[in-house]
Amino acid sequence: MALKVKVNKRVITVAAIAALVIIALVVSRGRGGDDGPGTLDSAATQACSDFNAGYAKAKSESTRLALADKVSASTMKTGNKAISDAALKVGDAANETGAEWKSAGDALLKACRDAGWNS
């Protein structure tokens, strides 16, 4: 018994569109352009240097918040997404526990080093 499949233009069109959507998703996920360390521009360099200079001294919540504000002012001018994201997390952790502050601070300094910054 032979099975006859009747395919019309609409089925072919829908299948072609679905295939194109799947290919586009695979290609866009494979690029990973925002996952890298980014470029170390002058604003990112300033943010990294400011944070490094004040990180060890920022023991209280108020000094952490002041440092996070200073770093945030620089990162608003940078095109480096990794450093901007890490600085945002530092700001969030400024009034949290010492462990959270240290973790966020270490992550920011790592993002700085990954981008090519040297202390």
Side-chain angles (χ1 to χ4, degrees):
M1 173 192 250
L3 181 64
K4 282 190 169 183
V5 177
K6 191 173 185 180
V7 180
N8 61 25
K9 287 183 183 181
R10 183 174 182 203
V11 172
I12 292 172
T13 303
V14 169
I17 290 172
L20 288 174
V21 168
I22 291 169
I23 290 169
L25 287 172
V26 169
V27 169
S28 69
R29 288 184 186 198
R31 287 186 184 159
D34 290 339
D35 295 334
T39 304
L40 190 66
D41 56 21
S42 62
T45 300
Q46 185 67 50
C48 293
S49 296
D50 287 345
F51 186 75
N52 187 57
Y55 182 45
K57 300 174 207 162
K59 303 284 185 198
S60 70
E61 185 177 311
S62 62
T63 56
R64 290 176 184 175
L65 287 168
L67 180 58
D69 286 344
K70 185 176 186 178
V71 171
S72 292
S74 293
T75 58
M76 290 201 302
K77 301 172 193 164
T78 187
N80 188 307
K81 185 166 173 26
I83 291 174
S84 291
D85 289 349
L88 182 63
K89 291 178 184 171
V90 163
D92 291 342
N95 56 357
E96 299 298 330
T97 67
E100 290 172 282
W101 168 252
K102 182 173 177 4
S103 176
D106 291 347
L108 175 56
L109 291 175
K110 181 180 181 326
C112 291
R113 286 188 207 99
D114 288 350
W117 175 82
N118 294 313
S119 55

